[in-house]
Amino acid sequence: MDDARWMQEALAEARAAAQEGEIPVGAVVVWQGQIIGRGRNRKETLKDPTAHAEILALREAAAFRGGWRLLGCTLYCTLEPCCMCAGAMVNARIERLVFAVRDEKTGAAGSVYDLVRSPWLNHTLRVTSGVLADEVRETMQAFFRTLREGKDV
């Protein structure tokens, strides 16, 4: 599998988010060996509480596929998804989720909740975590360090 390759793409989106002053989270949706959806956090830019990286990547992938069912797709994300994003992945019928770092406060793919593998929902995802975790963690830590120091991002 090309997990590291696709996570590099998600990390590039995260770094672009950081350059825009957004929390550095990035995501890509891959289908048949190609990226069909990209997203990065844009909540501040768009003034939209749903503008998470995963949601934006899912929207773009659905537009590419011409429908909301994203069967056979893998979503790569730098940070473990929240409940909203995990629910959207279940609804979209994403086959697999790959993320880099766990979110011990709001993670919904095994840390706090496990919506993506809930036996009570109509669909479950296969999950892989820890891909490029050190690189992603450093990117996030650098962003928050810069914020604490009061510097421009």
Side-chain angles (χ1 to χ4, degrees), residues 14 31-33 84 95 117 132 147 151:
W31 179 59
Q32 296 183 345
M84 174 183 68
E95 180 177 320
R117 292 179 284 209
L132 299 185
L147 279 184
K151 298 178 185 173

Side-chain angles (χ1 to χ4, degrees), residues 112-124:
V112 180
Y113 308 101
D114 200 355
L115 290 179
V116 297
R117 292 179 284 209
S118 172
W120 296 285
L121 298 178
N122 63 335
H123 177 75
T124 58

Side-chain angles (χ1 to χ4, degrees), residues 32-44:
Q32 296 183 345
Q34 68 175 332
I35 294 173
I36 62 168
R38 291 180 175 274
R40 61 180 172 264
N41 269 0
R42 307 221 42 220
K43 286 179 12 178
E44 302 300 330

Side-chain angles (χ1 to χ4, degrees), residues 79-92:
L79 183 65
E80 179 181 3
C82 69
C83 288
M84 174 183 68
C85 295
M89 286 178 223
V90 169
N91 285 327

Side-chain angles (χ1 to χ4, degrees), residues 35-64:
I35 294 173
I36 62 168
R38 291 180 175 274
R40 61 180 172 264
N41 269 0
R42 307 221 42 220
K43 286 179 12 178
E44 302 300 330
T45 303
L46 298 176
K47 312 283 189 258
D48 179 354
T50 69
H52 290 202
E54 302 95 322
I55 298 295
L56 298 176
L58 288 169
R59 286 178 185 161
E60 193 171 284
F64 178 89

